[in-house]
Amino acid sequence: MNFNLYNNCMNYKKNISTNIKMLRLSQNMSQAELANNLNLSKAAISLYELGERTPSTDTIIEISRLFNVEPGVLFSDHKDKKSTKLISVDGLSNAEINAIATIINNLKKK
């Protein structure tokens, strides 16, 4: 296997594990609660967060739906950004979410 390809695979695995934990903690959710929401065992969530197991495509989609993020967020490497914060938009309409996104983008331009 090509060394760069191997490193990229390992980075994605680490990103997924880090991002699952970050999303879970951003909602003050325990591993047991996440497992219950996904119909998985707490052990499976622990293995995902430790990077010892990679979730299936279906599980990645379910996690992204649960946290209302695009599936690609789970693969993202946030270390190059100054800070990454996640906020819950549960209960907001698409218009309200778009308004918040516009405000954030305007603030970033300043």
Side-chain angles (χ1 to χ4, degrees), residues 4-5 7:
N4 288 333
L5 180 59
N7 279 341

Side-chain angles (χ1 to χ4, degrees), residues 29 41 48 61:
M29 188 181 292
S41 69
Y48 295 158
I61 291 168

Side-chain angles (χ1 to χ4, degrees), residues 72-91:
V73 167
L74 293 172
F75 297 93
S76 298
D77 180 0
H78 301 290
K79 70 181 176 188
D80 293 333
K81 298 177 184 174
K82 289 182 182 175
S83 68
T84 300
K85 303 284 184 197
L86 300 175
I87 59 171
S88 173
V89 294
D90 290 344

Side-chain angles (χ1 to χ4, degrees), residues 31-87:
Q31 286 183 341
E33 290 169 322
L34 179 55
N36 187 52
N37 284 322
L38 298 171
N39 293 317
L40 297 171
S41 69
K42 181 183 174 292
I45 301 302
S46 178
L47 291 172
Y48 295 158
E49 290 185 1
L50 292 171
E52 293 179 16
R53 182 189 289 175
T54 304
S56 69
T57 303
D58 289 341
T59 300
I60 287 172
I61 291 168
E62 288 304 313
I63 291 169
S64 67
R65 284 183 183 154
L66 179 67
F67 292 110
N68 199 27
V69 297
E70 294 294 323
V73 167
L74 293 172
F75 297 93
S76 298
D77 180 0
H78 301 290
K79 70 181 176 188
D80 293 333
K81 298 177 184 174
K82 289 182 182 175
S83 68
T84 300
K85 303 284 184 197
L86 300 175
I87 59 171

Side-chain angles (χ1 to χ4, degrees), residues 1-55:
M1 177 185 272
N2 178 304
F3 183 71
N4 288 333
L5 180 59
Y6 175 77
N7 279 341
N8 286 339
C9 289
M10 294 308 291
N11 288 338
Y12 282 120
K13 193 174 184 179
K14 182 173 181 354
N15 292 347
I16 291 169
S17 65
T18 299
N19 291 327
I20 290 172
K21 184 173 185 176
M22 183 175 66
L23 286 166
R24 179 179 62 77
L25 293 175
S26 75
Q27 299 297 310
N28 296 318
M29 188 181 292
S30 69
Q31 286 183 341
E33 290 169 322
L34 179 55
N36 187 52
N37 284 322
L38 298 171
N39 293 317
L40 297 171
S41 69
K42 181 183 174 292
I45 301 302
S46 178
L47 291 172
Y48 295 158
E49 290 185 1
L50 292 171
E52 293 179 16
R53 182 189 289 175
T54 304

